[in-house]
Amino acid sequence: MRNPPTPGETMATEHPADPGLTNKDIRDLIRILSRTDVEELEVERSGTRVRLRRFGRTPPPPPAAAAPVPPAAAPPQAAVPPAAAPTEAPAAATPPSDGVTLGKGQEVVTSPIVGTFYRASAPDTPPFVEEGDQVKAGQTLCIIEAMKLMNEVEAEKSCRIVKVLLEDATPVEYGEPLFVIEA
Amino acid sequence: MALSQKSIEEVTASIPWINEVHFHEELPSTSEEARSLARAGATEGTVVVADCQSGGHGRKGRHWYSPAGVNLHMSVVLRPKVMPPERVPLITLMAGVAVCRGLQPLLGLRHARLKWPNDVQVEGRKLAGVLAEMSTTGNRIDYVVLGIGVNCNHPAGMWPPELAGQVTSLYEITGEVRPREQVIFQVLSHLGAAYNRLLRGETTECMESWKRLAATLGQRVSVRRGHDTLVGIARDIDTTGALVVEREDGTWETVTAGDVSLRPAE
């Protein structure tokens, strides 16, 4: 995340290890933001500044139904430029793609809910898919668990698994990229 | 007392949202059968009951003990079309509340409580469990299957060794043998009412009901997850139903999946 030092700049400062804002920091900020009614948040650390703003929200729910409504517009695979720009980073209204770069004809499969990502149905069974596998429409790719609700994420079309983006049992956000696929 | 297609249809006839009953003496898993029916177009309110299961399972493929003749193994198809997927996890808390409330009148003076997210316990022993499975395409929910297991007439002292001391049954608690049809009626009636409230957007009511029955909040807990164990005090649930835990260093973390156990203070 840190900008490379410009020629002549010394890295030996008082906080040599301060990386500014890391991907994890930004993910944490999004998580915090998504659970509040805050519309916009700007944070700066060690020269890295990130502004998060919601957009495409549905009208605010009545107070009795105050569940957070994640941004509905803009599919998460919409290009989110690297958030490490030295000045103002683009509004990260979609979850960060964590540096996912897509080749021609590739796209990402994203998480439909907040939860925990599992590559297999049980710890002692093989993963649903491996990188390089060809899968059919309707085939299970992974499970996202939230509150003992097991959500099987299925392939919407026949495709090849190019990359598995997360380790087994990793917490995921709504809209977070899980796989890179290509037709 | 043997369950039958007819005896279940008789008790569910007065529950308007139950559309179809499928009873089997034995199935690998009622939830698998319900998912297969849902994929083939079964409507909301389709119920599958088996007297025993050869491959009943809980979280992460764990075996669910399902002997013949004593307990309830039931799965229900829901199609919450109007609900945004990110709110669906609340269904499992809602189901825990409904099972807890449905069983309470059968428990005499003992109280049913919920361990996050939806285990029904009496004095720390598991009486019932709920596991939900959802299928989505993109952002659209195809179906949710709620698998519900209730220990009804299982005799005390006859549990398999790995469960002894951790589980209980209605019979063990009250000394009375109950027709399982009565348990089906209680659970499905309460489930229908709670599900309707959730569909109307009454999420706060659902969360408050859950909190009133919670055995977990305010307790020292350890949460076993994929790669680590989180230890702290369970403080609250957030608007998605996730458990909010305060660690010993004062930082807070929300948990969406894991095995929670209560830990006595050290």
Side-chain angles (χ1 to χ4, degrees):
Chain A
M1 290 297 295
R2 187 185 168 88
N3 309 307
T6 50
E9 182 188 5
T10 169
M11 295 291 287
T13 63
E14 280 184 5
H15 306 286
D18 188 347
L21 285 161
T22 63
N23 273 347
K24 182 178 181 311
D25 292 335
I26 294 167
R27 213 185 315 190
D28 287 347
L29 287 171
I30 290 171
R31 187 174 306 171
I32 292 164
L33 190 71
S34 69
R35 291 184 176 156
T36 69
D37 286 329
V38 175
E39 291 286 333
E40 191 168 329
L41 177 69
E42 189 169 311
V43 177
E44 182 172 351
R45 193 159 88 198
S46 305
T48 307
R49 182 161 29 142
V50 169
R51 182 194 292 172
L52 304 172
R53 190 174 63 224
R54 292 163 180 272
F55 68 92
R57 297 188 75 188
T58 51
V69 180
Q77 64 267 42
V80 178
T87 56
E88 183 179 310
T94 50
S97 57
D98 285 332
V100 178
T101 46
L102 298 177
K104 200 174 173 209
Q106 295 182 343
E107 51 190 290
V108 291
V109 176
T110 59
S111 177
I113 54 173
V114 176
T116 300
F117 169 82
Y118 295 110
R119 292 193 58 195
S121 60
D124 52 357
T125 57
F128 293 110
V129 292
E130 298 281 7
E131 289 179 3
D133 283 0
Q134 192 70 37
V135 300
K136 295 191 184 113
Q139 191 172 332
T140 302
L141 303 178
C142 66
I143 287 176
I144 309 292
E145 178 186 6
M147 284 55 90
K148 269 171 86 181
L149 173 76
M150 318 307 276
N151 182 192
E152 287 193 354
V153 177
E154 296 173 358
E156 287 188 50
K157 55 190 175 190
S158 295
C159 59
R160 193 175 71 86
I161 306 298
V162 177
K163 195 158 177 50
V164 181
L165 297 168
L166 298 169
E167 295 284 318
D168 189 54
T170 307
V172 293
E173 291 300 311
Y174 168 79
E176 185 163 340
L178 308 172
F179 300 94
V180 176
I181 58 168
E182 67 186 7
Chain B
M1 280 176 272
L3 280 172
S4 69
Q5 177 79 25
K6 186 162 171 282
S7 71
I8 300 170
E9 282 178 350
E10 274 170 13
V11 292
T12 54
S14 61
I15 306 175
W17 73 284
I18 300 303
N19 286 320
E20 254 181 70
V21 172
H22 296 254
F23 172 72
H24 299 262
E25 293 290 341
E26 180 174 342
L27 279 176
S29 145
T30 56
S31 283
E32 263 173 41
E33 177 69 11
R35 286 165 63 194
S36 145
L37 291 168
R39 277 194 292 272
T43 56
E44 180 156 87
T46 297
V47 178
V48 179
V49 177
D51 185 52
C52 69
Q53 300 181 110
S54 54
H57 63 90
R59 250 190 101 233
K60 302 181 86 173
R62 286 176 202 149
H63 174 65
W64 182 272
Y65 174 60
S66 315
V70 284
N71 293 340
L72 175 62
H73 320 108
M74 174 167 74
S75 295
V76 186
V77 176
L78 304 178
R79 294 194 184 268
K81 290 191 190 317
V82 294
M83 195 178 282
E86 71 274 6
R87 200 175 287 175
V88 178
L90 277 179
I91 279 185
T92 73
L93 275 73
M94 173 279 291
V97 169
V99 175
C100 205
R101 283 182 173 167
L103 297 181
Q104 185 57 58
L106 311 179
L107 287 170
L109 297 174
R110 313 280 280 281
H111 289 291
R113 289 278 177 269
L114 289 168
K115 187 182 82 160
W116 184 88
N118 57 18
D119 277 359
V120 178
Q121 296 186 330
V122 172
E123 290 165 15
R125 293 185 181 197
K126 187 159 171 171
L127 176 64
V130 180
L131 183 76
E133 291 164 285
M134 171 163 76
S135 169
T136 51
T137 308
N139 237 354
R140 190 171 52 82
I141 299 168
D142 300 323
Y143 61 83
V144 174
V145 164
L146 283 181
I148 299 167
V150 182
N151 299 328
C152 297
N153 294 319
H154 198 284
M158 303 283 280
W159 297 103
E162 68 274 16
L163 296 177
Q166 298 176 48
V167 292
T168 188
S169 68
L170 293 173
Y171 176 73
E172 190 172 339
I173 293 165
T174 63
E176 283 178 56
V177 173
R178 295 252 172 216
R180 282 173 284 169
E181 291 86 348
Q182 190 181 5
V183 178
I184 293 173
F185 177 80
Q186 284 294 114
V187 168
L188 291 179
S189 315
H190 283 263
L191 192 59
Y195 179 52
N196 268 323
R197 281 195 294 274
L198 200 57
L199 287 180
R200 287 199 300 266
E202 295 171 22
T203 50
T204 308
E205 201 276 344
C206 168
M207 288 167 57
E208 290 306 316
S209 307
W210 188 90
K211 287 181 196 179
R212 277 196 293 276
L213 293 169
T216 311
L217 297 186
Q219 304 289 319
R220 269 178 61 81
V221 294
S222 66
V223 186
R224 205 147 40 83
R225 301 183 285 193
H227 303 300
D228 66 347
T229 299
L230 172 67
V231 177
I233 296 178
R235 289 297 184 195
D236 204 355
I237 50 169
D238 75 6
T239 54
T240 67
L243 186 68
V244 181
V245 176
E246 182 183 1
R247 289 197 206 87
E248 272 157 15
D249 64 5
T251 56
W252 297 53
E253 187 164 344
T254 53
V255 179
T256 54
D259 293 314
V260 173
S261 49
L262 301 186
R263 289 161 64 105
E266 282 154 14

